Amino acid sequence: MKELIMIIVGSALVNNVVLSQFLGLCPFLGVSKKTNTAAGMGAAVIFVITIASALCSVIYLYLLVPLGMEYLQTIVFILVIACLVQFVELVLKKYSRPLYNALGVYLPLITTNCAVLGVALINVTDNYNVLQSTVNGFGIAAGFTIAIVIMAGIREKIEYNDVTKSFQGSPIVLITAGLMALAFLGFAGL
């Protein structure tokens, strides 16, 4: 149990996928304008990454490795992720139309979000079993959600501030992301 807690803390805070590994920056910068939209994207990413981590781990350990076809891992992982994202998209379209509309083009981009594929590959590289892979996937997704919601909150506050014209728009967002990354370096001692 202690090992699983260490995996969650390590993957969510110490090795934050967005702020330490710089994966998943497209949705991080694109969907972080409003906190409710960012939280919705975070929930979708938590679902997709956690389930994808479990499924990819099972497929890798119990299908690809015994058959000696480890070289197909990237293709198989992409197919699993694409199917999961389509499932999430259908569910959101049916049950949460406002969130579906708010996420817009960024929802299908979860399929190509390098963080999702990166988690599956990290799990294989670190030789995690199915439970450890699932916990690591959840921790990484939770870290993504923490980062995107914090960024959205900051961006909402920035709207009401007097920002120099040369820093308005993307420059202030990138500076904020850089400062957040520096702040998350403080967790490296955990």
Side-chain angles (χ1 to χ4, degrees):
M1 184 66 170
K2 187 177 181 182
E3 179 186 1
L4 298 177
I5 292 172
M6 293 300 293
I7 289 173
I8 288 178
V9 171
S11 58
L13 300 176
V14 178
N15 297 317
N16 187 285
V17 73
V18 176
L19 301 173
S20 296
Q21 299 176 6
F22 306 109
L23 297 173
L25 289 175
C26 181
F28 174 71
L29 296 173
V31 183
S32 62
K33 293 178 183 168
K34 301 288 179 199
T35 52
N36 56 354
T37 307
M41 174 60 99
V45 167
I46 286 174
F47 177 78
V48 170
I49 289 181
T50 304
I51 302 300
S53 295
L55 288 176
C56 290
S57 181
V58 167
I59 291 169
Y60 181 79
L61 292 173
Y62 299 111
L63 185 66
L64 296 180
V65 171
L67 295 174
M69 298 191 315
E70 295 93 341
Y71 58 90
L72 291 175
Q73 69 185 10
T74 304
I75 295 168
V76 171
F77 293 170
I78 289 172
L79 290 173
V80 168
I81 292 164
C83 291
L84 279 171
V85 170
Q86 287 300 311
F87 175 73
V88 169
E89 190 172 3
L90 290 172
V91 168
L92 285 179
K93 192 173 187 178
K94 181 165 178 115
Y95 296 109
S96 182
R97 191 63 138 179
L99 181 58
Y100 174 78
N101 292 334
L103 293 176
V105 70
Y106 293 101
L107 187 58
L109 282 178
I110 295 175
T111 304
T112 59
N113 185 346
C114 55
V116 183
L117 179 60
V119 172
L121 294 174
I122 287 169
N123 290 338
V124 168
T125 304
D126 290 346
N127 294 319
Y128 285 153
N129 62 32
V130 176
L131 178 61
Q132 291 170 327
S133 295
T134 306
V135 168
N136 186 49
F138 176 79
I140 286 177
F144 176 87
T145 303
I146 291 167
I148 197 170
V149 169
I150 290 172
M151 178 60 119
I154 293 171
R155 286 180 77 175
E156 285 181 353
K157 298 292 183 190
I158 288 174
E159 281 184 35
Y160 301 111
N161 291 324
D162 187 26
V163 178
T164 306
K165 185 171 173 103
S166 61
F167 286 111
Q168 290 177 357
S170 296
I172 194 69
V173 171
L174 293 174
I175 290 169
T176 303
L179 291 173
M180 284 177 61
L182 285 173
F184 268 71
L185 280 176
F187 291 119
L190 289 179

